[in-house]
Amino acid sequence: MFMGNVRRYFRYDVEIPLFFETADEQEIDQRQTYEHLMTAKEAAYLQKLNRDIQILFGEAFPGASETLHIFQMLDHRIDFMAWLLKLLIRSEDPRKQPEYRFRVRSDMNTQLPKARKKTKIMPLIEGIYVQLDDHLHELIEVVQNSIAGKLFLYPRKMRPIFQAKDYVKNLQELADNGFAPAQVLSLLIEKLNAYEQLLIELKQAYLAKINNETWQVQRVNLSAGGFSFNTPNKFAFFAKMNVFMKLGDDILVCRGRVVLNKFLPSLSVYKVGVEFESISKQHARLITLYVQHQELRDAIAEAPTITLPSDKALLDTTEIHQDKNDDEDNDSEIFELEEI
């Protein structure tokens, strides 16, 4: 049971792989990530794709077309994915946008219409729909599970980019021959793939940051309330900090602020204290159990060692005791005879 009130702020010195960054460093990293992922060339390419799709919608299908409705629904979902991605790349919380709830609710109510007759491209349409379902669910999870709406985590494994050939072998051939549905689907898949690649690169940037093999092992005084450490670097008071740490087999991510920054002249370093601001109960419990375990392990290691005698020494001691007992028995018999 987690004893929150009694042991929560028990502190102990531990050596753990640790990585942290200040909010300013995160902002610089975000800007560089965005500029790398969303270049002017990439933005122009996506704009052209959107124009081409809208032109086909207007020219190839009548307004009341069931097929047009399906294609517009898929395009709308790709746009929602794009909207989420562009905010997350900047580490901006989509929930702060006034249209977030409406867009989430609208997408949740979206269903793939059932075609009146089964066509050869319907499995392809269903495949795109399911792929978008997976991407949107993941991105919404990322938003909902963020730390203080500032730190976004991507725990899911990479999903392969959607491939039309898994459903239809000759889609491009049909599109080249002027078959309008195939042309639209080719453009929609191209647009989807562009944002899928963006998601992959965003997750790769995140994975590079949380690769604990590159983290430096540091000695810190750790508790569920925060940690302190010595460093040659000075940090501003109340600076926000993203903290990544490895405790045993667990990776913990939390957000804190600098509450202590004291120079130690004798060591020529700063003693920096970080207070956790956004930490889950589960992570707090893991930290508490970890430091308690480390304390117990160190106590056992420092306990005095009791050396047991060897078998020969034990045998010799037994013989000595036996001889002594025999002498005592003889003395007792003599005493008894004298008494008589």
Side-chain angles (χ1 to χ4, degrees):
M1 181 177 177
F2 176 48
M3 301 173 63
N5 294 330
V6 180
R7 296 284 280 179
R8 181 182 177 193
Y9 292 108
F10 169 73
R11 312 186 73 90
Y12 195 69
D13 288 338
V14 295
E15 291 187 354
I16 56 173
L18 181 71
F19 169 77
F20 54 82
E21 62 180 0
T22 63
D24 290 342
E25 291 171 333
Q26 181 192 16
E27 186 176 340
I28 294 171
D29 183 57
Q30 290 162 1
R31 188 163 57 247
Q32 291 174 342
T33 300
Y34 182 79
E35 291 172 354
H36 171 70
L37 298 182
M38 186 56 70
T39 62
K41 183 179 179 181
E42 185 75 14
Y45 161 70
L46 289 168
Q47 287 176 359
K48 182 179 183 304
L49 266 180
N50 279 324
R51 283 197 304 270
D52 292 345
I53 289 170
Q54 296 306 317
I55 289 171
L56 266 175
F57 282 170
E59 293 181 352
F61 304 96
S65 167
E66 181 183 11
T67 303
L68 176 61
H69 174 66
I70 292 174
F71 289 160
Q72 286 176 330
M73 177 270 296
L74 293 176
D75 188 48
H76 183 72
R77 299 196 83 198
I78 297 173
D79 285 340
F80 182 35
M81 176 182 175
W83 182 78
L84 289 169
L85 275 172
K86 288 175 182 178
L87 290 168
L88 290 172
I89 289 173
R90 300 189 184 97
S91 286
E92 296 179 13
D93 190 349
R95 291 171 296 186
K96 292 184 178 180
Q97 302 298 319
E99 66 267 40
Y100 174 75
R101 288 190 177 185
F102 171 78
R103 298 191 79 153
V104 170
R105 189 164 53 247
S106 175
D107 188 76
M108 288 177 62
N109 293 331
T110 299
Q111 293 183 350
L112 183 63
K114 293 184 179 180
R116 295 175 186 174
K117 61 179 182 178
K118 200 73 172 177
T119 64
K120 291 183 178 180
I121 64 170
M122 200 58 198
L124 174 61
I125 293 172
E126 292 171 349
I128 297 172
Y129 184 89
V130 170
Q131 184 90 342
L132 280 165
D133 251 0
D134 189 77
H135 290 319
L136 289 170
H137 288 166
E138 177 182 9
L139 292 174
I140 291 170
E141 280 179 7
V142 168
V143 173
Q144 292 175 340
N145 296 330
S146 68
I147 298 176
K150 296 291 185 182
L151 192 56
F152 300 95
L153 313 177
Y154 301 84
R156 286 202 197 183
K157 293 182 179 180
M158 302 284 188
R159 186 181 179 91
I161 284 179
F162 187 83
Q163 299 286 340
K165 64 182 181 181
D166 294 336
Y167 301 88
V168 177
K169 302 299 182 185
N170 61 337
L171 181 67
Q172 192 57 52
E173 181 183 345
L174 292 171
D176 293 340
N177 289 332
F179 184 52
Q183 291 175 330
V184 172
L185 284 168
S186 292
L187 290 176
L188 287 175
I189 292 170
E190 190 175 346
K191 180 178 175 180
L192 171 60
N193 289 165
Y195 287 112
E196 285 181 314
Q197 186 60 42
L198 195 62
L199 175 58
I200 288 173
E201 292 180 13
L202 178 60
K203 293 174 77 168
Q204 286 174 340
Y206 164 75
L207 290 173
K209 182 181 292 186
I210 66 162
N211 179 12
N212 61 82
E213 294 181 359
T214 65
W215 297 350
Q216 182 180 355
V217 175
Q218 298 192 48
R219 185 174 183 83
V220 299
N221 186 255
L222 179 65
S223 80
F227 67 98
S228 62
F229 61 101
N230 294 341
T231 174
N233 303 317
K234 185 177 181 180
F235 292 87
F237 274 107
F238 306 118
K240 302 295 183 182
M241 189 174 284
N242 301 324
V243 182
F244 303 77
M245 66 181 80
K246 184 178 183 184
L247 304 181
D249 295 328
D250 297 304
I251 301 293
L252 274 64
V253 184
C254 44
R255 191 169 173 87
R257 63 173 182 164
V258 175
V259 294
L260 174 67
N261 193 7
K262 181 180 180 181
F263 184 68
L264 305 178
S266 60
L267 300 175
S268 296
V269 296
Y270 291 92
K271 185 177 184 65
V272 176
V274 178
E275 179 185 48
F276 294 139
E277 285 188 319
S278 301
I279 184 170
S280 67
K281 290 182 179 179
Q282 180 186 6
H283 283 182
R285 182 174 184 273
L286 282 173
I287 292 173
T288 300
L289 292 176
Y290 182 80
V291 295
Q292 288 177 346
H293 173 77
Q294 293 299 111
E295 179 200 28
L296 180 60
R297 188 194 67 175
D298 292 347
I300 292 173
E302 293 174 2
T305 303
I306 300 175
T307 305
L308 295 175
S310 64
D311 292 344
K312 184 177 184 305
L314 188 61
L315 182 61
D316 292 343
T317 304
T318 303
E319 290 176 350
I320 291 171
H321 281 292
Q322 185 63 48
D323 292 343
K324 184 177 180 181
N325 289 338
D326 291 344
D327 292 341
E328 289 176 353
D329 290 343
N330 292 335
D331 291 344
S332 177
E333 290 173 1
I334 294 170
F335 177 78
E336 290 174 358
L337 288 172
E338 290 176 349
E339 283 288 314
I340 292 173

